[in-house]
Amino acid sequence: MQAKLTDIGVAPQARPGDALRAQPWGSRRDALAGLLALLPATALPGLAVAQPSPADPPKRERLVLAGPPATVSYPLIHMVESGALSNLAKQVEFRRWTNPDQLRALALEGGADFIAMPTNVAANLYNRGVPLQLVNVSVWGILWLVSRNPALKTLADLRGEEIAVPFRADMPDIVFTFLAERQGLDPRRDFRIRYSPTPLDAMQLLIMRRVDHALLAEPVVSMALRKTRSFPISVVAPELHRSVDLQQEWGRVLKTQPRIPQAGMVVLGNARQDQALVTRLEAAYVAASRWCAGSPLACGEQVAKHLDMLTPQAVADSIEFLPAHYATAAQARPELETFLRLLLEKQPAMVGGKTPDAAFYGLHP
């Protein structure tokens, strides 16, 4: 099998944490790997990744996976690097997308068979008639406030402070605003919000001491912490800390699990009709997620070869803080619908004006 990665842009986004954070890194990592290890037996019974079986679909000439420079793409890169899909296609290719235009082109022009993307974008494309189906939700929150003050733990602790926020009126901004309002805070009055075009711009504002706090997502969080602790940037940059974990705030404010269904994988076009292919891809993704959780630095080395703005250490750090949760589309539906309704209320266009129907989740009405 010939495996390659094709660049169609470059620039990151993405990341999270939950109750596992109270444990030391080794046990957190082991717990995440252990949870994922159960999935093939529970969510995907009887599947053996990369092992020929009578259920294998006919071998394709080419299979294209695509994703952003973010945590949701780590397993996809490992799937290509490890040859996990060699039984499914002669050539497996990974394409990275880095902006909405590239993603839309891939989805609308049939440029990929499977694409990793934010859940709200998947809902939006589906509601606009793009033939796709959600396969899983693998990233359950990657949002943090990074701060020069290590004592800040809730949004109320930042009252009166200036905060850099990327992507005005996009998902991170809406989640931040919602959580603040649910705590009786008015984001326009209680904070000084400084919007930036991208997460990297917000990170630069922190590093250059122009703001003391920024709303960031993994792996940008880990990149910022690594950069400010390494020479020569450490000479001029402030000491930064993970302060408010928005996943914990979500769980605390809504009295639910501390996780947000932010990203997953969709299958597009004719590939949706090949259930054997979809099942095998899902199993391979689960296995790759398990491997990355158990071997974060090795995963980082693979990812950094193809996402050159990342270092292996930053990738490993970002894996450490991923919530230990994974769900098929059907399993994720209740929590995802709650999340999409929130976005629908704040910015209807973000989800295409309505919540998707059962077919979006691969279910019959």
Side-chain angles (χ1 to χ4, degrees), residues 38 83 105 113 138 203 211:
L38 296 175
D113 301 294
S138 58
M203 181 181 77
V211 296

Side-chain angles (χ1 to χ4, degrees), residues 74-92:
Y74 298 170
L76 297 179
I77 290 173
H78 178 65
M79 288 158 66
V80 172
E81 286 282 308
S82 66
L85 305 180
S86 59
N87 294 328
L88 301 182
K90 296 177 182 177
Q91 176 181 308
V92 180

Side-chain angles (χ1 to χ4, degrees), residues 236-303:
V236 295
E239 183 176 353
L240 298 178
H241 309 271
R242 294 177 188 268
S243 58
V244 181
D245 177 346
L246 266 67
Q247 288 63 236
Q248 291 295 325
E249 287 287 89
W250 179 274
R252 183 177 68 84
V253 169
L254 298 182
K255 302 188 186 312
T256 186
Q257 294 295 322
R259 61 191 186 217
I260 304 172
Q262 279 194 256
M265 185 170 65
V266 306
V267 56
L268 296 103
N270 293 333
R272 293 176 306 151
Q273 312 306 321
D274 190 339
Q275 190 54 52
L277 175 66
V278 174
T279 300
R280 289 296 308 278
L281 257 292
E282 168 65 3
Y285 191 98
V286 170
S289 298
R290 181 175 66 239
W291 182 83
C292 286
S295 307
L297 190 56
C299 179
E301 289 168 351
Q302 290 186 348
V303 170

